[in-house]
Amino acid sequence: MTIHAKPAPLRLAVTALALCLPLLAAPAAAQSVRDEIEALRRQVDEANRALEAALQRIDELETKQEETQEQVAEIPKPRVRPGRKNVDLEVYGHINQAFAYFDNGQTSRFDVVDNDNSGSRLGFRGRYKSGDWSAGVRLEASFEVNTTDELTFDSDSDLGTLASSDDGESDFLSVRHADTFFSHKDYGTISLGFGPIATEGVSETDLSGTTLISESDVDDIGGEFQFGNDDNAQLGSGFEVDDFFSNLDGSRDSRIRYATPRFAGVQGVVAMRVDDDENGVGQFFPDASLNYEGEVSGFEVEAQGGYRREDGSNTFIASASTLAPFGTSLTLGGGVETFDGTNPPDAENFVFVKLGQQLDLFEFGKTKFSVDFFRGQDNSQADPFTGEQTEAISVGGGVVQEVKPLGAEVFAAGRFYDVDIGDGTDTDSLFVLFTGARVRF
């Protein structure tokens, strides 16, 4: 007997659900596709923006490249080149002219002069370099017309325009450097030829920025001018500024010179030169110096000291200068020279003090002020009865204005000289006013 059963209600429900599931899943799948498409669209938009920025940057770089090429094309080719390959050649110099007024109480003079505080000059430096070693040469000469250190009240107006002036007192061309050197960063530098000896510049350390108008060698601005005297009103007393005002500094000479590497800011220098003694016989004379450059608690500091032996004399000199972060500077210098063969020994000495201030008044360069005082003594002309020494006093001051875009400095300054001669000679004071400009290259 066959029994036929009817489908259960549960089976019918399951079958219906299976038929409906595809219809329920279709809207969810469509939403997922839309989300993916939207994400892709956002990525494309971001890629387009990045591409646009890259294209804009490329345009800017191409424009800048064109401008740079135009600027390079405008740069003139060097007209002065070294005669050999692998040589660095530097050409440098400056012209320093001023309008000056001199007055000794008896007569006066106006003139266009070359400021001997930093005389006009032209120089060349050539250097080979191989690893840590280098070798080179330096040639430098001064070209000074009417230099303040040789002008007098009765000089011609074009003193120094010839290789040798008619009075034989001035050379338009004066050699400052003609030497060669070998240098190593660990072993120092040795120089041979004409140039500074070890004590040259030792009494002239100065961070004021106003050496253009004022330095310890105060006679540079009026060296051969005579002091006024009532007995000779036209020319003066016969005594010149150079006779009494000296900072005892070293000189330039034919020498062999060695400078050590700088260690912790300290460097030593020694030199040997040949000079004639009192009998005209050439002898070797030594000199040596020690110098320091560094920073102490934000203050820039430089200092030097040195000793020099010459025929019949010994000289000790020193100077130091500091520049504060706020622009104030203080400079000190001093020295003594003693002469052989006298008892008590004749001696000459000096002290120099200078106060400076640098200000940022203009965008084109610093404005630098300074005042200074010099006092020198010499007992070689002491009064035989009173023992009074010759005493020389000088006071100076002025301003230097940088004009950096033009490589120039303009200046105005004045200086006062007075001397009390031990032998009782009466002299008037000498005044100098000067203003001008130095242009460097």
Side-chain angles (χ1 to χ4, degrees):
M1 177 172 159
T2 302
I3 299 175
H4 296 279
K6 295 183 180 180
L10 180 59
R11 183 175 181 182
L12 292 174
V14 171
T15 303
L17 180 61
L19 293 174
C20 293
L21 280 176
L23 297 176
L24 295 173
Q31 182 63 38
S32 177
V33 170
R34 285 195 296 269
D35 291 343
E36 291 181 9
I37 293 173
E38 184 63 27
L40 289 173
R41 184 179 291 112
R42 287 195 297 269
Q43 293 177 7
V44 171
D45 290 343
E46 292 176 359
N48 286 335
R49 286 194 293 270
L51 179 60
E52 290 176 359
L55 291 174
Q56 183 178 357
R57 180 57 178 163
I58 290 172
D59 291 338
E60 293 175 355
L61 292 174
E62 288 178 345
T63 302
K64 187 174 182 179
Q65 182 182 22
E66 292 175 358
E67 294 175 351
T68 302
Q69 290 174 344
E70 292 175 357
Q71 293 173 355
V72 171
E74 293 176 356
I75 297 175
K77 295 182 179 180
R79 298 183 180 182
V80 179
R81 297 181 179 180
R84 305 186 68 178
K85 296 180 179 179
N86 304 322
V87 176
D88 294 327
L89 177 63
E90 177 188 2
V91 182
Y92 64 93
H94 65 250
I95 299 294
N96 185 4
Q97 294 288 300
F99 184 71
Y101 170 74
F102 306 87
D103 191 323
N104 70 354
Q106 301 292 335
T107 187
S108 61
R109 173 173 184 153
F110 290 95
D111 215 327
V112 176
V113 298
D114 197 295
N115 177 5
D116 196 61
N117 279 315
S118 178
S120 300
R121 65 196 62 169
L122 174 66
F124 301 85
R125 288 190 188 94
R127 180 193 298 264
Y128 279 99
K129 191 168 185 180
S130 178
D132 293 332
W133 283 98
S134 62
V137 299
R138 183 176 182 181
L139 296 172
E140 183 181 314
S142 64
F143 300 85
E144 298 184 52
V145 177
N146 279 1
T147 174
T148 54
D149 195 38
E150 295 182 356
L151 196 66
T152 67
F153 283 112
D154 60 343
S155 294
D156 293 335
S157 294
D158 296 322
L159 178 69
T161 54
L162 303 177
S164 180
S165 60
D166 293 338
D167 58 13
E169 294 180 353
S170 174
D171 292 328
F172 171 60
L173 174 63
S174 177
V175 177
R176 293 173 54 85
H177 293 270
D179 60 348
T180 185
F181 63 87
F182 297 88
S183 180
H184 188 280
K185 69 180 185 67
D186 295 326
Y187 307 138
T189 301
I190 186 167
S191 305
L192 180 64
F194 187 88
I197 63 176
T199 53
E200 199 271 343
V202 168
S203 63
E204 297 177 347
T205 308
D206 194 330
L207 294 174
S208 69
T210 62
T211 57
L212 178 57
I213 58 170
S214 164
E215 56 183 352
S216 64
D217 196 13
V218 296
D219 63 345
D220 280 347
I221 203 63
E224 293 192 5
F225 280 96
Q226 292 188 6
F227 290 95
N229 181 274
D230 292 337
D231 296 331
N232 190 346
Q234 184 177 2
L235 296 180
S237 62
F239 293 103
E240 300 174 354
V241 171
D242 277 338
D243 295 333
F244 308 101
F245 295 86
S246 172
N247 65 356
L248 305 179
D249 198 49
S251 61
R252 297 180 181 87
D253 207 337
S254 294
R255 84 292 188 245
I256 182 169
R257 180 180 189 266
Y258 170 71
T260 70
R262 194 170 293 279
F263 177 74
V266 178
Q267 181 184 53
V269 184
V270 293
M272 189 73 72
R273 68 198 185 283
V274 177
D275 280 338
D276 291 340
D277 61 15
E278 59 183 8
N279 299 316
V281 179
Q283 290 189 4
F284 284 102
F285 291 102
D287 72 326
S289 64
L290 198 65
N291 64 80
Y292 169 79
E293 296 179 2
E295 186 175 301
V296 179
S297 300
F299 287 70
E300 187 176 350
V301 177
E302 292 185 9
Q304 300 187 80
Y307 162 78
R308 181 175 69 255
R309 173 64 184 173
E310 294 177 302
D311 183 38
S313 70
N314 295 281
T315 303
F316 297 87
I317 52 177
S319 61
S321 186
T322 181
L323 176 62
F326 42 85
T328 301
S329 63
L330 176 64
T331 299
L332 304 173
V336 59
E337 180 178 15
T338 58
F339 299 90
D340 302 339
T342 58
N343 188 23
D346 287 342
E348 181 179 353
N349 65 77
F350 85 97
V351 293
F352 177 77
V353 182
K354 183 178 186 180
L355 184 64
Q357 181 65 51
Q358 301 182 18
L359 300 174
D360 294 312
L361 300 180
F362 306 100
E363 293 184 356
F364 51 79
K366 289 185 178 294
T367 306
K368 307 171 184 179
F369 301 89
S370 69
V371 292
D372 66 75
F373 171 81
F374 177 99
R375 177 177 179 267
Q377 289 184 310
D378 184 354
N379 68 358
S380 63
Q381 292 180 305
D383 188 297
F385 300 103
T386 65
E388 182 180 353
Q389 301 182 64
T390 294
E391 184 177 60
I393 299 293
S394 181
V395 178
V399 58
V400 176
Q401 176 63 58
E402 292 181 337
V403 188
K404 286 188 175 181
L406 300 178
E409 298 148 288
V410 295
F411 55 85
R415 182 158 295 281
F416 163 85
Y417 300 95
D418 187 69
V419 61
D420 183 6
I421 302 175
D423 64 7
T425 302
D426 184 34
T427 60
D428 298 326
S429 301
L430 174 69
F431 296 90
V432 183
L433 298 174
F434 58 105
T435 182
R438 176 175 68 179
V439 179
R440 295 190 281 187
F441 62 89

